[in-house]
Amino acid sequence: MRTDTGQVFRLEDYRASDYLIPATDLSFRLSPDATQVTAVLTVERREGVAASVPLVLDGDGLVLKKLSLDGAPLEPTSYEATSDRLEIAALPAAQRFTLTIETELSPAQNGALMGLYLSNGVYCTQCEAEGFRRITYFLDRPDILSVYTVRVEARKDAAPLLLSNGNPVEQGDLADGLHYAVWHDPFPKPSYLFALVAGDLGTVSDRFVTRSGREVALGIHVEHGKEALAGYAMDALKRSMAWDEEVFGCEYDLAVFNIVAVSDFNMGAMENKGLNIFNDKYVLADRETATDADFANIEAVIAHEYFHNWTGNRITCRDWFQLCLKEGLTVYRDHEFSADQRSRPVKRIAEVRTLRALQFPEDQGPLAHPVRPRRYREINNFYTATVYEKGSEVVRMIRTILGAETFRAGMDLYMKRHDGEAATIEDFLRCFEDASGRDLSQFSLWYHQAGTPNLTVGSAYDSATQVFTLEIEQSVPPTPSESRKRLMHIPLAFGLVGEDGRDMAWKTVEGAQVEDGVIHLRKRRHSVRFSGIASRPALSLNRGFSAPVTLSVEQKSDDKIFLAGNDSDPFARWQASNTLFTDALIAASRQVRGGGQPAFPDDLAALAGRIADADDLEQAFRALAIALPGEADVAREIGSDIDPDAIFAAREALARRIAETNEGRFRALYESLRDDGEYVPDATGAGRRALRNALLDYLTLLDGGRTLAAAHFGDATNMTDRAAALTALTHRHPSSTQADEALAAFEARYGTDPLVMDKWFMIQAGVPGPQTVETVRRLTAHRAFSMVNPNRVRALIGSFANANQTGFHRADGEGYRFFAEMVLEAERRNPQLAARLATAMRSWRSLEAGRREKARAALLAIAGAENLSTDLRDIVERILT
């Protein structure tokens, strides 16, 4: 584990390596405690580089056994080797030479889950971002592209399945119970895409025929006995392959495509060329064990990793500063896939909710950084919502600005021009400029400048001249190391909605470029005048969430209610109701803090009832539209001096008001949505269940609510309904007999299934109130919990810190103290996991004074611990800065 303070890497310091490695031959003889690795590297000196320039290779905790150059052993005096670095100064004069390196690894002791490690007896690798250097010494950077040939040897009884990147070449038996397999990947790739899997796994096989007629063998490899749970993942993979051909013209390029599901994994999945390695939660599912959300996530993550075959693998990033080039672009592609497979409006709302929950706080706090960072100390800490989610939004804005046809032309040019290369953001944008003839230099600030832009919008209508005027001003708040901001190009989709609910047409427009329903904002202030407007319109802004901005709009409540019921844009319609609820909760929380009772407008509860009953809307949309903003969402809008208990009290009061006002309507609708037919995890079925469970959440607040939720739990025929009922019982009635009985029944039924038990941990970690910290502490001793497994830790500790505003932010600070203990415990074995947990503290400065000081004390306790890894120290020091 690296415990140094960490070098700061800067974008402006990038320079190409003096050496290339065009071919890499690897041989593994696998053993839990003493794996032998032989790397034969074909090394090439760049033109113009002197032979006196040393070759310096990266390592991380390596044990060097042997070293030879062009077949001749090197004397120890001719090189310098540490566990983290190998430098060879005495090199041949020839431009190309062969370096052979032998190292020894202990996969069984690799608790960091980077490099080569064991997961439930299965050897697997994780090399992104810098894990390959834990396997052998190498130029471990993404711009070193190499053709890999890999030989894997292992005991046949322990590891009958031997996989690596590319296509299989040969396999056979060896003496002493060993066997081998050789794999070759003809496509040059960076070291972070190397993968190896060896173990005893069950296999689900299928085939896919590409549009050019090539047959691809598909395999999903899982623990024995779980093969039936991989069927949906295989179906999602085949749909992804077909969609990418149809929508982006991207055809798969190898003879095989393998997915392996492992239970110990730091991330969601990894797109290694031809051999994707997945966290098993994004592969395994059936109606008994997985919710509708799980099925949707499996579909999205399978697609995301497959789509990387072109946007990430065939075209990779020149350096880690360009990470968004592969991740943001591929998130956009998987979002589009999911929108086409399910409901585009519902998917869009879900995307924006995720962005606001994860990325907006990042942009507003000490961890803010541009979509393309300019500096980093630990690259593992930049796999962030900014790079992924905001990076996706930037790609979406390019499509909005250029239009679908020109956007596709730019993508085609990018694929053609940079196939087989390590590219940059500038390369990417230049393709769209060349395809469109447009200058995107101002737009490129979305990649280079941190912070969430805010648009302040005022409007005026002159009935005499029939002119409607918008006054729009843009600003970007200061972020760490960046106090002065430049003006952005912001594409703002809008509509002027008339009394009949239809968009109004105008005769002329002045003050800004307006095309295809989008105002292009490029200056600090725009005064946009629309003529020929016969009556005052209701203003619909940022339709489809055309830009990742915040809005400060002067708008009457009546207009918002009108838009919530009539806007033709589904996202804007949802946004109107969400804004109404948020504004009411902010006002009510202030009333609570002042010692009063929360009060709400009468029309708010009625609005929720009308939306729930609106048969012209998708059921999934109605479920989202009647759901109140979360406590963290309200806190984010308040911004400072936050009292989580006051927000919780206000939210509970509004939920009860809505439930009481609409009791008859909600009960009737709840009963009408009962469906005893076959469970299907499609958009229609998921939408019906989402609406019914949203209604259950409200009805549980009323008399008889506990009985209703207990019956819902008992009658459930799928995990979606069962988990929803358990959540309603435990969160609304945590001390009830019904809640205790349901928790015990759930544990008795699923106690041996780790992924399902994660739901059990998550639900209990999210129970509101100060008592939950003791519950979570007790659950860390549960037989199904393990601090070694990232999924278990995220389910219990991560959920408590990120999804329980009243429990985590307990007024006496005990939630913070407990969390600090858990972060340091995770740190001892898995620094990446600890660092990602610690980001839950990023908004501590926004709390009211008492909690703020207690949170700071917990952060200082983490920072003051001995031998902190670079991963965790980097996060904590930036949060404290």
Side-chain angles (χ1 to χ4, degrees):
M1 181 176 75
R2 288 179 292 173
T3 58
D4 53 87
T5 56
Q7 175 186 352
V8 175
F9 298 88
R10 293 178 172 83
L11 174 60
E12 61 264 28
D13 294 336
Y14 171 84
R15 61 182 293 271
S17 171
D18 293 321
Y19 292 89
L20 302 172
I21 306 177
T24 299
D25 288 9
L26 297 171
S27 295
F28 292 81
R29 176 161 285 196
L30 297 174
S31 167
D33 298 310
T35 288
Q36 306 300 314
V37 182
T38 302
V40 181
L41 310 181
T42 300
V43 183
E44 187 176 288
R45 188 181 294 110
R46 285 188 186 270
E47 289 287 344
V49 175
S52 60
V53 175
L55 173 65
V56 181
L57 302 180
D58 302 303
D60 185 357
L62 292 175
V63 176
L64 177 65
K65 307 299 288 187
K66 292 182 182 179
L67 188 65
S68 62
L69 188 61
D70 286 335
L74 282 177
E75 296 296 326
T77 56
S78 63
Y79 63 88
E80 293 183 13
T82 68
S83 62
D84 298 335
R85 189 173 185 269
L86 174 61
E87 180 174 340
I88 307 172
L91 296 170
Q95 187 177 10
R96 179 176 286 211
F97 52 88
T98 300
L99 182 66
T100 303
I101 306 169
E102 295 184 29
T103 54
E104 184 176 280
L105 316 177
S106 179
Q109 301 303 313
N110 184 357
L113 310 184
M114 287 292 290
L116 177 66
Y117 65 94
L118 272 171
S119 173
N120 282 353
V122 177
Y123 296 92
C124 59
T125 56
Q126 171 57 33
C127 292
E128 187 175 359
E130 296 176 340
F132 190 74
R133 65 186 63 186
R134 295 171 67 92
I135 295 172
T136 189
Y137 294 99
F138 203 77
L139 291 172
D140 192 13
R141 44 189 285 173
D143 60 348
I144 299 298
L145 306 184
S146 189
V147 173
Y148 283 70
T149 302
V150 181
R151 178 186 173 95
V152 186
E153 299 178 7
R155 290 195 59 81
K156 193 170 185 177
D157 56 353
L161 181 70
L162 305 175
L163 302 174
S164 192
N165 307 93
N167 294 319
V169 176
E170 62 175 291
Q171 59 183 2
D173 293 332
L174 301 169
D176 301 323
L178 298 172
H179 73 138
Y180 76 95
V182 177
W183 292 78
H184 176 71
D185 184 358
F187 296 95
K189 64 175 179 285
S191 54
Y192 80 84
L193 289 173
F194 168 76
L196 177 153
V197 171
D200 187 5
L201 296 169
T203 298
V204 177
S205 299
D206 210 324
R207 60 191 286 273
F208 180 82
V209 178
T210 69
R211 61 180 179 176
S212 66
R214 291 186 306 103
E215 182 171 310
V216 180
L218 308 178
I220 298 182
H221 311 277
V222 301
E223 292 180 10
H224 287 291
K226 296 183 178 180
E227 292 88 347
L229 300 178
Y232 190 79
M234 180 65 80
D235 178 66
L237 172 60
K238 295 173 71 174
R239 285 186 282 119
S240 301
M241 298 175 81
W243 184 90
D244 210 17
E245 289 185 347
E246 178 183 353
V247 177
F248 282 96
C250 294
E251 182 176 334
Y252 188 62
D253 48 13
L254 293 169
V256 299
F257 186 86
N258 285 302
I259 291 174
V260 177
V262 297
S263 57
D264 299 289
F265 206 68
N266 278 336
M267 296 183 284
M270 181 61 209
E271 70 267 18
N272 317 296
K273 181 74 176 180
L275 177 55
N276 288 187
I277 300 178
F278 271 64
N279 186 322
D280 58 2
K281 71 179 291 186
Y282 294 115
V283 172
L284 305 176
D286 66 4
R287 64 182 290 174
E288 178 67 18
T289 61
T291 64
D292 291 325
D294 291 329
F295 279 102
N297 286 336
I298 288 170
E299 181 178 81
V301 177
I302 290 282
H304 180 93
E305 303 308 327
Y306 173 74
F307 295 156
H308 266 311
N309 187 59
W310 277 91
T311 51
N313 297 1
R314 288 284 288 263
I315 307 176
T316 192
C317 46
R318 186 195 70 178
D319 51 69
W320 290 120
F321 298 101
Q322 321 293 329
L323 181 59
C324 60
L325 183 59
K326 74 182 187 77
E327 294 301 347
L329 175 56
T330 306
V331 169
Y332 169 76
R333 278 157 44 74
D334 84 57
H335 282 177
E336 286 297 290
F337 169 75
S338 294
D340 284 345
Q341 300 295 304
R342 293 175 175 264
S343 162
R344 184 166 289 273
V346 170
K347 174 62 177 170
R348 188 61 183 142
I349 294 167
E351 292 162 9
V352 174
R353 290 179 67 187
T354 298
L355 182 82
R356 288 173 172 168
L358 301 179
Q359 197 280 322
F360 276 22
E362 200 165 82
D363 247 352
Q364 295 164 2
L367 299 182
H369 61 84
V371 173
R372 182 174 73 177
R374 290 186 294 277
R375 65 186 66 85
Y376 66 81
R377 187 165 62 174
E378 174 51 67
I379 186 56
N380 289 319
N381 291 336
F382 281 85
Y383 286 75
T384 62
T386 296
V387 167
Y388 281 68
E389 306 303 331
K390 188 174 181 179
S392 168
E393 294 300 318
V394 175
V395 176
R396 185 178 298 277
M397 285 189 288
I398 295 174
R399 187 183 188 278
T400 298
I401 290 168
L402 301 184
E405 185 175 335
T406 305
F407 175 78
R408 171 61 192 271
M411 283 297 302
D412 288 348
L413 181 58
Y414 175 65
M415 303 290 191
K416 180 180 179 181
R417 182 181 288 176
H418 297 290
D419 185 16
E421 295 182 1
T424 66
I425 289 301
E426 286 76 14
D427 295 330
F428 181 65
L429 289 174
R430 194 173 299 115
C431 290
F432 292 101
E433 289 183 323
D434 291 349
S436 66
R438 296 202 188 193
D439 179 2
L440 296 177
S441 56
Q442 184 182 14
F443 177 82
S444 70
L445 288 174
W446 283 102
Y447 283 110
H448 310 319
Q449 186 165 265
T452 302
N454 177 258
L455 298 179
T456 301
V457 183
S459 63
Y461 177 67
D462 188 331
S463 58
T465 60
Q466 295 192 339
V467 171
F468 182 72
T469 303
L470 288 178
E471 301 290 346
I472 307 175
E473 181 174 355
Q474 68 161 290
S475 61
V476 184
T479 54
S481 303
E482 202 176 75
S483 58
R484 299 185 65 181
K485 302 292 185 176
R486 290 177 287 175
L487 297 173
M488 313 281 278
H489 175 187
I490 301 173
L492 183 67
F494 76 106
L496 308 180
V497 185
E499 295 176 354
D500 59 358
R502 298 179 180 179
D503 286 359
M504 303 175 72
W506 55 83
K507 291 181 179 178
T508 63
V509 59
E510 300 174 353
Q513 177 191 355
V514 178
E515 56 184 14
D516 299 324
V518 176
I519 304 173
H520 292 269
L521 306 173
R522 294 185 174 90
K523 301 187 297 182
R524 183 171 303 282
R525 297 179 183 85
H526 286 268
S527 182
V528 189
R529 293 164 48 88
F530 299 88
S531 68
I533 304 298
S535 60
R536 188 185 71 84
L539 179 60
S540 174
L541 287 175
N542 211 18
R543 285 181 157 181
F545 202 70
S546 61
V549 300
T550 57
L551 296 174
S552 301
V553 185
E554 296 177 9
Q555 192 166 38
K556 297 177 180 178
S557 177
D558 288 347
D559 278 357
K560 296 173 189 174
I561 291 174
F562 175 77
L563 292 171
N566 296 279
D567 202 318
S568 61
D569 181 80
F571 174 81
R573 190 168 180 174
W574 169 82
Q575 182 61 69
S577 62
N578 190 260
T579 300
L580 286 163
F581 290 142
T582 301
D583 291 346
L585 289 170
I586 291 172
S589 69
R590 288 170 177 158
Q591 291 168 343
V592 171
R593 287 197 72 179
Q597 293 297 314
F600 304 100
D602 293 335
D603 50 10
L604 209 54
L607 173 65
R610 290 196 302 273
I611 293 172
D613 247 354
D615 289 335
D616 61 318
L617 298 173
E618 292 180 82
Q619 291 171 337
F621 178 91
R622 289 147 66 185
L624 288 171
I626 66 171
L628 295 181
E631 295 153 55
D633 298 322
V634 178
R636 184 182 66 247
E637 295 300 318
I638 293 174
S640 62
D641 194 31
I642 293 165
D643 181 347
D645 290 337
I647 295 173
F648 174 76
R651 191 174 184 276
E652 287 295 285
L654 179 55
R656 184 175 294 277
R657 175 73 175 275
I658 291 172
E660 291 171 346
T661 301
N662 298 286
E663 180 176 2
R665 172 183 271 170
F666 280 7
R667 288 192 187 279
L669 184 55
Y670 171 84
E671 291 300 327
S672 73
L673 293 168
R674 184 186 298 273
D675 182 7
D676 298 323
E678 183 68 22
Y679 173 86
V680 180
D682 60 2
T684 301
R688 181 192 59 76
R689 287 183 288 274
L691 180 55
R692 189 166 190 260
N693 288 327
L695 295 167
L696 173 69
D697 189 56
Y698 278 113
L699 293 171
T700 307
L701 290 165
L702 304 177
D703 290 343
R706 280 178 292 178
T707 301
L708 179 66
H712 192 110
F713 180 84
D715 294 343
T717 60
N718 58 78
M719 181 53 69
T720 302
D721 289 338
R722 191 169 290 118
L726 184 61
T727 301
L729 272 173
T730 55
H731 288 207
R732 299 299 193 194
H733 305 282
S735 301
S736 67
T737 301
Q738 292 94 330
D740 291 342
E741 290 176 348
L743 284 169
F746 195 99
E747 180 185 12
R749 185 167 185 163
Y750 301 110
T752 59
D753 189 321
L755 291 179
V756 183
M757 286 300 289
D758 282 346
K759 295 176 173 57
W760 190 76
F761 287 127
M762 289 173 65
I763 289 169
Q764 293 182 80
V767 173
Q771 78 287 347
T772 301
V773 64
E774 279 78 25
T775 301
V776 173
R777 187 184 293 277
R778 173 175 50 82
L779 287 172
T780 60
H782 192 278
R783 64 182 181 278
F785 180 77
S786 169
M787 284 297 294
V788 172
N789 184 279
N791 282 350
R792 305 298 90 77
V793 175
R794 286 187 287 256
L796 184 61
I797 310 303
S799 295
F800 173 67
N802 290 290
N804 190 331
Q805 294 291 297
T806 54
F808 181 54
H809 297 292
R810 201 167 95 169
D812 64 358
E814 185 57 28
Y816 308 137
R817 288 188 287 272
F818 166 72
F819 181 69
E821 293 172 21
M822 293 297 98
V823 167
L824 291 173
E825 176 67 23
E827 156 83 352
R828 295 188 183 99
R829 186 173 179 88
N830 193 329
Q832 280 190 36
L833 177 62
R836 291 193 174 110
L837 283 176
T839 61
M841 300 286 283
R842 63 181 177 264
S843 300
W844 67 277
R845 292 182 189 275
S846 65
L847 296 164
E848 52 81 21
R851 288 178 169 88
R852 186 165 62 243
E853 286 308 306
K854 294 177 177 66
R856 180 174 179 273
L859 284 165
L860 289 172
I862 296 174
E866 294 183 355
N867 299 320
L868 282 191
S869 66
T870 305
D871 305 64
L872 182 56
R873 182 173 299 281
D874 173 51
I875 289 293
V876 174
E877 288 183 354
R878 284 197 285 143
I879 289 176
L880 281 168
T881 300

